[in-house]
Amino acid sequence: MALEITPDITEQLLDALVCQGWFEWPHAVTDELCQALLDEVQFYDEEGALQKAGIGRGQVHQLNQEIRRDQIKWLNGSTLAQTTYLQQMAQLQYQLNRALFLGLFEYESHFALYKSGDFYKKHLDSFRGQANRMVTTVLYLNPNWQSDWGGELVIYDEASSCQLAVITPEMGKLVVFMSEQIPHEVLPTRKERVSIAGWFRCNNSIGGNIDPAL
Ligand code: OGA
Ligand code: MN
């Protein structure tokens, strides 16, 4: 099994989410699965199947190149690599619900490709009371990432005043954080940088429509 949710790591993850709101988990997913997912993204890029990412939902959805520059494609479970990854996220969802009673009922996720110079400015994935994204996951798919290539994920405290962590996007690393609580940012990258961003949602959606363009 690619993602070993051992009792030990589960405890560390749950403790960290409760106490600090975020958790960095190196080597959470095998290189083999990451490579298969990375190959998919490179294929989509060559085919022109990635779309420029936007911000906001529904009517306020807009392309804003000053805020984010990545290109995305939503996972739909159409390949073995995707279903394997989605199964692992389902295991994680089960553990989060069991221990934290979050009532997570759904997971949505997209591949994201940041080309050289791309970034995503400081933001929250979900606003308290408005949306239903509860927990964010980010899996990195970049083999042999060098520390001077930029593209780090910066995690801020809730008040957004100080940096809590600067995380390099190495292949197999999974970062998990509370969507309403943790402001974060992707620093400009100097190399192609690929990730899968995903969100566990709870069932209080207003109308239940997901805007696939977000
Ligand atoms: C996002 C995001 C972080 C990353 O897509 O909302 O914050 O490191 N991604 O790719
Ligand atoms: Mn985000």
Side-chain angles (χ1 to χ4, degrees), residues 56-59 61 74 105-106 108 130-133 201-214:
R57 276 169 181 254
Q59 296 194 331
H61 180 83
W74 290 90
F105 87 116
E106 195 172 63
E108 55 180 352
Q130 265 185 31
N132 55 2
R133 288 176 165 178
R201 293 149 37 101
C202 69
N203 194 4
N204 66 355
S205 136
I206 335 111
N209 285 325
I210 311 169
D211 179 352
L214 181 70

Side-chain angles (χ1 to χ4, degrees), residues 186-203:
V186 178
L187 297 179
T189 185
R190 281 187 272 281
K191 295 276 170 187
E192 249 185 40
R193 172 199 192 271
V194 180
S195 56
I196 299 179
W199 298 272
F200 293 112
R201 293 149 37 101
C202 69
N203 194 4

Side-chain angles (χ1 to χ4, degrees), residues 53 68 70 72 110-112 114 120-121 123-125 133 136-140 151-154 167 169 175 177 184-187 193-199:
R68 72 184 291 192
D70 55 324
I72 65 164
H110 64 56
F111 295 107
Y114 292 75
Y120 192 162
K121 292 266 172 73
H123 64 282
L124 273 178
D125 286 343
R133 288 176 165 178
T136 301
T137 62
V138 191
L139 173 70
Y140 296 108
E152 295 95 341
L153 173 70
V154 182
I167 296 173
V175 178
F177 57 86
H184 55 283
E185 140 172 55
V186 178
L187 297 179
R193 172 199 192 271
V194 180
S195 56
I196 299 179
W199 298 272

